[in-house]
Amino acid sequence: MTKTQQRSTRPPAGATRVRWLIIWVAFVGLSINYLDRASLSVALPFMGEEFELSATQEGLVFAAFFWAYDACQLAAGWYVDKVGPRRSFTLAAIWWSVFTALTSLARGFWSLLTVRFLLGAGESPAPSSAAKVTATWFPTQERGFATSVWDSGSRVGAVIALPIVTAIIAVFSWHAVFVVIGALGVGWALVWWRIYRDPRQHPRANAAEVAYLEAGGARTAETDPEDARRIPWRSLFRYRTVLSMMFGFFCLNSVIYFFITFFPSYLVDERGFDLLELGFFGAIPGIFAVFSGWTGGLLADRAIRRGVSVTRVRKTVIVGGLAGGSVIMFAALVPEAWMALALLSLAYGSLTVAGTGIWSLPGDVAPSSRHVGSIGGLQNFASNFAGILSPIAIGALVDATGSFVVPLFVIGGIALVGALNYLLVMGRIEPIRLTGDERGAPRQPVGA
């Protein structure tokens, strides 16, 4: 990269910074999104007297969320590209907030399973909306940190779920948890609708900021290649890059969703944590993961600004993060709780670093801005098979073996498989190019 190119990676003097306001509002939305889904995993150990669920039934309840969440991903990605993140994010937040509040009315296994299923449907557009926002509002050299910001909402949501949910339960009851969190989501939806516009339409973004975004590779309709706009959605399945993204994200989520579902139960049942210890010490891995993700995103952006290829940066982040996440298997073997927490923190932090790279990929490889949400939906669709399978498998293995040792070794091994996939299967990370007739129907994948 030349000195002139290096200078062009910095925003010009006088450029507004609306993009950072937008991404931090998106961060709050994703925090509430994950607070909604994580609240049940925190509350469930203290709902046993009313529900009397086995570990297998708990796994089924957790998985019900992902049955709907995953089934809707393909349509959700397409929908985000069709209507834009302003509308998709707002409507999704209202939907998931309503069904979060309705969780307070559940009275047994089937009612709990049903409301979690409907909650999953409402949350499905959220990550693709955030990925679309990042690709639209950030140039390539800022996309890593921007992605780490909104993606860290998943960790923050899980972290704050522990003290918030346990405090509400201690003062009131588990029913109040879901009403309060549902109200937060509706409030955020109104803020998002008010604040979000695309760059050229945003009243607070000046011409200097818009020019900086578009020159740096922000994916907007104004900068799309004309032929790329006509690429059919179904053709995306033809590419090794997209298929590798789908499989690799499945491997990452196989480990991540342990923290979202069974992590509190692990601390209570395996390590003997009481309510106070769960609320305090249980937050440590998530806090560590938040700062790890931000650090990884900043370092990735710095490397790209210095001229390191996007392919090398993204692969280093993702492969290294998945390899680090595999240490979760050793948490099952150490004798002391603090040792387990240290290993779990390292694993969660490493996986979060990998996640920032993975969620940067849709903006990196999409052939046009009209495909960013769709590709995000594709990889999230595949990844959340882990949300369906992993909780059931973990619950069944805990029931069969009486501990978390075998489940942790299994998901740690899956993390290593994911690392090898990104290292050996995925090719160069660059916008997908297709050849086809004038209507955009592909004949032969290029660079697949």
Side-chain angles (χ1 to χ4, degrees):
M1 181 179 286
T2 67
K3 291 182 178 180
T4 301
Q5 288 172 317
Q6 287 178 340
R7 286 195 296 269
S8 70
T9 64
R10 299 290 182 179
T16 51
R17 297 171 61 85
V18 175
R19 63 194 183 279
W20 294 109
L21 170 64
I22 286 175
I23 206 63
W24 282 107
V25 174
F27 157 80
V28 174
L30 267 293
S31 298
I32 296 172
N33 177 280
Y34 272 77
L35 174 60
D36 285 6
R37 69 174 74 178
S39 58
L40 180 64
S41 66
V42 180
L44 198 56
F46 307 99
M47 295 162 59
E49 293 183 1
E50 295 185 41
F51 288 86
E52 297 181 349
L53 303 179
S54 69
T56 299
Q57 286 179 313
E58 290 180 7
L60 287 169
V61 168
F62 290 137
F65 173 95
F66 297 103
W67 296 337
Y69 183 79
D70 196 45
C72 293
Q73 280 302 313
L74 300 182
W78 172 87
Y79 177 71
V80 170
D81 283 330
K82 182 72 173 178
V83 306
R86 184 183 184 221
R87 183 179 299 177
S88 65
F89 224 158
T90 300
L91 294 179
I94 292 173
W95 178 302
W96 85 56
S97 299
V98 168
F99 284 100
T100 296
L102 289 176
T103 305
S104 63
L105 302 179
R107 291 296 179 267
F109 169 72
W110 287 107
S111 59
L112 191 59
L113 185 144
T114 300
V115 75
R116 289 290 292 184
F117 181 89
L118 294 172
L119 175 66
E123 292 200 3
S124 60
S128 294
S129 295
K132 179 88 167 182
V133 169
T134 308
T136 301
W137 271 96
F138 287 86
T140 303
Q141 67 271 14
E142 291 182 355
R143 198 171 291 154
F145 181 64
T147 299
S148 75
V149 169
W150 73 256
D151 186 55
S152 68
S154 63
R155 259 63 67 186
V156 171
V159 167
I160 64 178
L162 287 162
I164 288 176
V165 173
T166 53
I168 294 174
I169 292 173
V171 175
F172 300 104
S173 70
W174 67 263
H175 304 83
V177 168
F178 302 102
V179 175
V180 171
I181 296 173
L184 285 175
V186 173
W188 180 87
L190 297 176
V191 172
W192 181 256
W193 179 260
R194 171 115 181 143
I195 202 170
Y196 186 84
R197 300 292 189 281
D198 284 345
R200 291 198 183 187
Q201 286 74 49
H202 204 288
R204 297 178 62 180
N206 64 15
E209 181 175 19
V210 173
Y212 167 68
L213 302 181
E214 294 181 355
R219 313 305 298 271
T220 64
E222 292 80 9
T223 60
D224 284 341
E226 183 62 33
D227 57 344
R229 298 180 185 181
R230 297 193 296 268
I231 293 173
W233 175 87
R234 64 184 180 276
S235 69
L236 297 173
F237 288 96
R238 295 163 54 92
Y239 287 84
R240 185 179 68 189
T241 294
V242 174
L243 295 176
S244 177
M245 289 167 62
M246 294 170 71
F247 176 74
F249 204 2
F250 170 87
C251 294
L252 180 84
N253 268 4
S254 295
V255 193
I256 286 287
Y257 280 108
F258 165 79
F259 291 95
I260 296 173
T261 56
F262 275 99
F263 175 60
S265 296
Y266 168 79
L267 295 182
V268 172
D269 298 338
E270 196 91 342
R271 296 294 176 176
F273 281 33
D274 59 25
L275 181 63
L276 180 61
E277 290 171 331
L278 176 63
F280 183 78
F281 293 108
I284 293 175
I287 294 172
F288 182 77
V290 169
F291 289 102
S292 296
W294 291 353
T295 301
L298 284 170
L299 293 177
D301 288 346
R302 180 181 298 177
I304 291 174
R305 284 195 294 268
R306 291 180 174 177
V308 182
S309 72
V310 173
T311 297
R312 183 176 178 183
V313 170
R314 298 288 188 246
K315 286 195 173 187
T316 299
V317 166
I318 296 170
V319 173
L322 279 163
S326 69
V327 303
I328 194 172
M329 64 181 69
F330 301 114
L333 302 179
V334 295
E336 300 293 336
W338 70 266
M339 297 177 183
L341 273 177
L343 289 169
L344 290 167
S345 298
L346 176 59
Y348 204 4
S350 298
L351 294 166
T352 302
V353 171
T356 65
I358 288 172
W359 270 117
S360 296
L361 293 178
D364 295 331
V365 308
S368 78
S369 66
R370 300 184 183 186
H371 297 87
V372 174
S374 297
I375 292 178
L378 286 176
Q379 71 168 6
N380 214 30
F381 166 75
S383 76
N384 280 285
F385 275 110
I388 297 171
L389 299 176
S390 184
I392 297 175
I394 291 173
L397 287 171
V398 169
D399 281 343
T401 65
S403 76
F404 282 86
V405 173
V406 173
L408 292 183
F409 264 83
V410 170
I411 60 176
I414 293 174
L416 292 175
V417 172
L420 292 174
N421 162 74
Y422 284 105
L423 180 64
L424 303 177
V425 179
M426 177 170 281
R428 290 181 56 83
I429 298 172
E430 59 189 4
I432 292 170
R433 295 177 293 115
L434 300 176
T435 60
D437 58 26
E438 294 180 353
R439 293 170 299 181
R443 292 193 305 265
Q444 176 66 39
V446 176

